[in-house]
Amino acid sequence: MSLAPVVRQGRVIAQRLFDLAYAIDLSQARVLCADLPAAHTSSGPLTFGAPPLRVQLPPVALCVGDHTLIGEASVHVYDFGAITLAIAVPAEDLPWPVFAELARQVEEAVATGQSSAPWTSLLESVRSRIATALERPSHAVIQEDYLLMVVDTFVESPGEALCRVVDLVPLLAADARPLSADAREALLSHRFAYLADDCVVIARDRAFLYQPQGDAGVAAVLEVANAQLLELRYYASLLDAELPRMYDLVARTRSALPISAPGRLSRLARHLYTLVAEVTELTEKVDNALQVTGHPYLARIYTTTLELFGVPALGAAVDNKLAIIRDTYAALYDEASVSRAGLLELTIIALITVELVLALFRI
C-alpha cells in the first residue's frame, strides 16, 4: 500500500439542520413531495420512532475558487419539526491528499457567510413545498452544521492498518496548522470499528467513515444526535427568553387589583403549564426518535456522540428551566386558590354586612 492511497469511491457530505416547526405531519409531507425521488440512504439496523421522510432535491452547484463542484442535494424531514439538508459531492479515484482537499473545498463552499452557499435557497424551497404540513411554523435561526467524509472503497484495501497508512488529523481538524501530540490524540480519541477493516472517527463538527461492507447506520446515528442537539438548543433558547418574561408577568399580575388577581394568576398558571407540557412532549419525542439498544456497536457510538455534542448537559439545563417554570406554576396556582378563597370570604362578609344594615333599617 502506498503512503498516499487512492480513494476509489467516496463522497463528502455537508449537512445543515434547521428547526422548521413545532411538529411536521410526515404523511402530508410525503404527499407534498410525491413527485421527488426517494433519497438513497441506509439506516442499517436502526429503529426510528417515526422514520424520517428522505427525498432527493435538484443538484446544486458549489463555487470553489475558479471552479464549480456539483453536489447531490437531499432533505430528511423529522416529525418533531427538524429537517436536515444534505449536499453530497462524489469522490472517485482521488489520491488521499486530493480527497482531503476536496473536503476542505466543500466545507469552504457551504460555510456561513459565503454568498454562493446554497442553504438559504434550499431551505426556502423545502419550507414552501411542505408549508401545509408544518404545525406552528418556526422562524428561529438556530441551526447545526456537520461534515461527513465517507470512503466506500480504496483502490487497494488498507485493511486494519488504515489509521497507520493515512493521516486523518488534517481531515478532522478545522485548523490547517500542525497540531500538538495531545491535540492529535484527543481528535482521534473517538475512534470505532465494528468489522476488522472498519474505521469510524467522530469529532465535534465532522466525522470520517470508512465502512467497505456498507453503512451500518453510523451516518444516521450522527444525524439524529445533531437533530437532538438542535432541538435542545432551540428549547433552551425558548425557555431563556420565557423565564424573564415569566418573572415580569408574575410581578405585574401580583400588583393587580385584588378582585382581578385570581383570574390573572390562573390564566398565567395555565400558560406556564401549557408551555411545560409542550416542551416536555417534544423533548420526549426527540429522545425517542431513534432506538439503538439492539446493536451495542451503534449504541456505543450514539452515546459517545451525544456526550461529545454536549446533549446530556444541555438536556439537564432544559430540565432545570422546566423545573423552575413548574415550581412557578404550582406557586401561582396555590396563590390563585388562596386569593380566590380570600375574595370569597370578603364577599361573604360583605353580604352579611349588607344584610345586617338592611335589618337595622327595617327596625
Side-chain angles (χ1 to χ4, degrees), residues 243 246-247 250 254 268-269 272 322-333:
L243 286 173
M246 178 188 74
Y247 297 141
V250 169
R254 284 174 173 165
L268 181 54
L272 296 179
L322 287 175
I324 292 172
I325 294 178
R326 287 192 191 96
D327 292 344
T328 304
Y329 158 73
L332 286 172
Y333 184 81

Side-chain angles (χ1 to χ4, degrees), residues 179-199:
L179 302 185
S180 68
D182 289 344
R184 290 174 62 88
E185 182 180 354
L187 194 62
L188 299 175
S189 61
H190 302 297
R191 186 165 57 206
F192 304 88
Y194 182 62
L195 300 176
D197 54 354
D198 282 358
C199 182

